[in-house]
Amino acid sequence: MNVHDDTALVTGACSGIGLAIAHRLAARGHSLILVSNREEPLARAAAALAAAHAVQVHTIVQDLAAEGAAEALVAAVDARGLQVDVLVNNAGVFFFGEAVDADPARARAMLQLHVTTPSLLCTLLGARMRARRRGRILLVSSISAWRPFPGISYYASSKAYLRSFAAALRSELAVYGVGVTCLAPGATATALYDPNVVPVAKARRLGVMMDAERVAEAGVQALLRGDAVCVPGLVTRAMATAAVLTPQPVIDWVRRRAPWLRPPRP
Ligand SMILES: NC(=O)c1ccc[n+]([C@@H]2O[C@H](COP(=O)([O-])OP(=O)(O)OC[C@H]3O[C@@H](n4cnc5c(N)ncnc54)[C@H](OP(=O)(O)O)[C@@H]3O)[C@@H](O)[C@H]2O)c1
């Protein structure tokens, strides 16, 4: 695939893995459409990307957790006369806690952001890629999708949906020359976590968390190769395998000892 002149739309592009993916796609010659819900950080990211790479950078401010977000985003893309050749569904949020303790508004926003919006973006933009017989889609899941995880049930289950959706979509679109890849990072040092709860900087120093740059590079390479799934890093791949093989009582034991996953006292 000749990436020059191809436009990549990246959601959640103003920080972390999304920003790092945008840098890597721009370095490979893609024009960019950056999407996020906050205007200032998005403008800053766009300026940095445009300065670092000789590509066009467009921005669209859109709350992707809002109802109708996918349709509104595609309308905004059309209004600018742009075409999306690469779709990166990356935007995400995270919270710890029992499912029954979740704030309904927060839980609904997560499901909209992780499930409804990316699925409908794949539907709306994937249909155009199918018609053109070319295009690539990256869905950012997580290794927490590899098994049920109590304590992060909303997060892990929504990521499991993305993993499954990516695999089915891949089969549907493969015959039309459209590639679909699922990126499943392990713990990555980004702003996803509240630093007051998770010691992100320390975890990064100790090598427990990966750099967003490494995760992004692995994801973009997998996307361009047309891989089905990318789990970046040897340790993360070992953890994904261990997660599948570990009996539930062991997961529950670990959870009782991890301060941020601890269930409330009965
Ligand atoms: N970090 C990890 O350990 C890890 C592991 C596995 C998977 N992932 C996944 O990787 C993806 C990127 O996360 P990250 O780690 O890079 O965290 P991050 O730095 O917090 O990036 C998340 C991005 O999503 C955007 N976003 C959040 N809510 C949004 C909304 N309602 N509408 C539009 N954009 C929104 C954020 O924009 P604002 O900052 O402007 O809100 C931000 O740009 C997520 O899907 C996450 O679940 C992360």
Side-chain angles (χ1 to χ4, degrees):
M1 185 180 196
N2 177 15
V3 298
H4 292 281
D5 302 329
D6 273 1
T7 301
L9 184 152
V10 184
T11 70
C14 59
S15 64
I17 297 168
L19 178 60
I21 287 175
H23 271 289
R24 269 140 195 86
L25 290 173
R28 286 165 167 87
H30 287 281
S31 301
L32 295 171
I33 306 170
L34 309 180
V35 184
S36 197
N37 53 333
R38 292 187 301 143
E39 199 165 349
E40 258 184 48
L42 193 58
R44 271 201 304 276
L49 279 154
H53 312 279
V55 297
Q56 275 205 311
V57 184
H58 307 269
T59 58
I60 298 177
V61 180
Q62 173 68 51
D63 179 1
L64 298 170
E67 220 185 309
E71 290 90 335
L73 176 55
V74 173
V77 168
D78 290 345
R80 287 163 175 76
L82 299 169
Q83 174 179 296
V84 176
D85 303 289
V86 177
L87 168 63
V88 180
N89 278 301
N90 163 77
V93 288
F94 183 89
F95 60 81
F96 288 114
E98 307 265 292
V100 295
D101 291 327
D103 167 15
R106 204 177 187 193
R108 186 180 295 111
M110 178 181 273
L111 293 177
Q112 185 79 32
L113 185 64
H114 290 184
V115 176
T116 308
T117 301
S119 307
L120 291 178
L121 285 176
C122 289
T123 295
L124 298 171
L125 297 173
R128 297 171 182 191
M129 293 179 187
R130 182 181 65 180
R132 294 195 297 271
R133 300 289 195 267
R134 68 194 292 271
R136 289 178 196 267
I137 297 174
L138 183 69
L139 289 127
V140 182
S141 173
S142 156
I143 60 157
S144 67
W146 261 241
R147 70 167 301 138
F149 273 105
I152 52 168
S153 32
Y154 268 101
Y155 181 81
S157 305
S158 63
K159 291 294 178 180
Y161 169 86
L162 281 175
R163 180 190 181 198
S164 172
F165 185 79
L169 186 69
R170 177 181 173 83
S171 288
E172 291 174 357
L173 290 180
V175 287
Y176 302 102
V178 178
V180 179
T181 298
C182 173
L183 172 61
T188 309
T190 69
L192 189 72
Y193 304 104
D194 178 349
N196 298 315
V197 181
V198 179
V200 174
K202 190 173 168 194
R204 187 183 188 172
R205 271 199 313 278
L206 294 173
V208 178
M209 284 190 166
M210 283 181 76
D211 282 341
E213 287 69 25
R214 262 189 75 198
V215 170
E217 181 57 28
V220 168
Q221 279 185 20
L223 176 75
L224 297 178
R225 272 196 310 267
D227 294 352
V229 179
C230 170
V231 179
L234 261 179
V235 175
T236 310
R237 283 197 286 282
M239 282 171 68
T241 307
V244 173
L245 299 176
T246 306
Q248 192 62 38
V250 177
I251 297 279
D252 293 340
W253 182 88
V254 171
R255 179 184 171 220
R256 284 195 296 275
R257 275 144 192 87
W260 49 84
L261 286 173
R262 210 171 275 156
R265 283 172 195 279

